[in-house]
Amino acid sequence: QVQLVESGGGLVQAGGSLRLSCAASGIIFSSSVMGWYRQAPGKQRELVARITSGGTANYADSVKGRFTISRDSAKNTVYLQMNSVKPEDTAVYYCNADGVQSASVRWGSYWGQGTQVTVSS
């Protein structure tokens, strides 16, 4: 069973920083593409950032230059460093993994339960 456990969300003032973490288990992390998505109230879920197994990252235009995604294969963890946050960054942030489940050796796309980020103005 694949589990993605997010942490690090909370309330932060505009202009501040926050770091989200997502610990993965049950998946072959080293070959997985990891991503962060977000969903604000009344809006569709959108991609924030993704990172390949080789470390290539891509970002939504709205967060370029402010957010950084990284991964630590020794800890099976992906991070999202959020700097210079804005009120419009307020959303539930979800961790996503596209990869091979360790037990079944089958490819799948998996989601965490989400963590709330609220940016006050």
Side-chain angles (χ1 to χ4, degrees):
Q1 182 180 359
V2 176
Q3 285 193 318
L4 302 174
V5 180
E6 300 108 332
S7 60
L11 176 64
V12 60
Q13 286 190 331
S17 296
L18 209 58
R19 189 175 84 153
L20 306 183
S21 300
C22 171
S25 61
I27 196 168
I28 303 176
F29 184 84
S30 59
S31 61
S32 297
V33 177
M34 303 298 297
W36 288 97
Y37 290 72
R38 68 186 180 187
Q39 188 167 18
K43 295 189 176 181
Q44 288 189 333
R45 190 173 297 188
E46 64 176 2
L47 173 68
V48 176
R50 295 184 88 209
I51 186 167
T52 68
S53 57
T56 300
N58 64 285
Y59 299 90
D61 288 343
S62 58
V63 306
K64 279 181 183 176
R66 300 188 298 120
F67 291 9
T68 302
I69 188 170
S70 62
R71 61 191 296 158
D72 185 339
S73 289
K75 296 181 179 180
N76 283 8
T77 299
V78 62
Y79 304 97
L80 184 69
Q81 179 66 44
M82 307 168 61
N83 297 331
S84 303
V85 295
K86 304 175 181 180
E88 50 263 43
D89 294 321
T90 295
V92 177
Y93 284 71
Y94 296 91
C95 179
N96 171 258
D98 291 341
V100 178
Q101 186 181 21
S102 304
S104 65
V105 200
R106 290 182 179 177
W107 185 92
S109 186
Y110 307 94
W111 295 90
Q113 80 286 354
T115 186
Q116 176 70 46
V117 172
T118 302
V119 182
S120 63
S121 56

